[in-house]
Each structure stands twice: as C-alpha cells, then as structure tokens.
Amino acid sequence: QVQLVESGGGLVQAGGSLRLSCAASGRTFSNYAMGWFRQAPGKEREFVALISQSGARTYYTDSVKGRFTISRDNAKNTVYLQMNSLKPEDTALYYCAADVRGTNSRLVGYWGQGTQVTVSS
C-alpha cells in the first residue's frame, strides 16, 4: 500500500502561481511513476502530468504545457506540481497519483484525497 497526502491548494487570482506537494508513505516511493490528475465539477477526472521513477522523464497534457512543472524528490518521498500562469479553467480538485501506468485514470494504482485549486478571474 502507498499513502498519499496532498497539500498546497488554495484560491489564487488568474495569472498567479501555486505549488502542490504530495507526500508518500508505505512502499518504496522511487519504484513508482507519479502523477497529478484533476477533476472539475461535473467533469471526469483528467490527466495533468506524469514523472518517471527517476524523474528523468516528464509528460504533460497539452493545456498545461509551458505553465506547469512536475518534479520529485525521492529522498523526501515527495512529488510536486508547480503551477504558473493559472487560468480559471485550471480550477479543479487536484489528485496525486502513484503507480501511474498511463494517462487514463483507470491505470493508476494509488490516489491521494485531493486538494482544491480555485482560480478566480
């Protein structure tokens, strides 16, 4: 089992920045590809970003490329999502994910409880 706890969400104006953190415990963190997904009200959960076990490879959904950066610190068992130039359409509940095998949410092994990000216009 892997336990994931997100933090760093909040309310920010359009154009602002937030940094999400996800602390993992349980099985060896560095064994897993990690990711972030988000879910807006009335919409399905969607992929945001993915990082490989070593951190050497990253992948983003098109709508956040150039604005969001995923990173990880395997010594701290933590994955981050730096979000810049935020837009109102980024408003969602953001979920940390472990054992991410693809961009489909059904390919995720473990989920955090989510942290709310609200971007005002």
Side-chain angles (χ1 to χ4, degrees):
Q1 287 291 333
V2 176
Q3 293 78 42
L4 304 171
V5 179
E6 303 99 331
S7 61
L11 173 64
V12 64
Q13 288 189 332
S17 298
L18 283 174
R19 189 195 196 200
L20 305 184
S21 299
C22 172
S25 60
R27 296 192 172 181
T28 305
F29 177 74
S30 59
N31 284 350
Y32 297 110
M34 300 292 295
W36 290 92
F37 288 70
R38 65 186 179 186
Q39 188 167 17
K43 295 188 176 181
E44 293 187 354
R45 193 171 299 189
E46 66 172 357
F47 168 78
V48 176
L50 167 70
I51 188 166
S52 63
Q53 289 88 332
S54 68
R57 291 173 292 151
T58 58
Y59 184 72
Y60 300 91
T61 192
D62 286 346
S63 62
V64 308
K65 284 180 181 177
R67 300 189 298 122
F68 291 11
T69 302
I70 188 171
S71 61
R72 67 190 295 164
D73 186 336
N74 285 346
K76 295 182 178 180
N77 289 358
T78 302
V79 63
Y80 305 96
L81 186 67
Q82 178 67 44
M83 304 185 294
N84 299 328
S85 302
L86 282 161
K87 304 175 181 180
E89 51 263 44
D90 294 318
T91 295
L93 189 60
Y94 281 71
Y95 293 92
C96 178
D99 192 16
V100 181
R101 300 170 184 265
T103 60
N104 190 307
S105 61
R106 290 190 286 271
L107 299 175
V108 171
Y110 304 96
W111 293 102
Q113 82 287 353
T115 185
Q116 180 67 39
V117 171
T118 303
V119 184
S120 63
S121 58

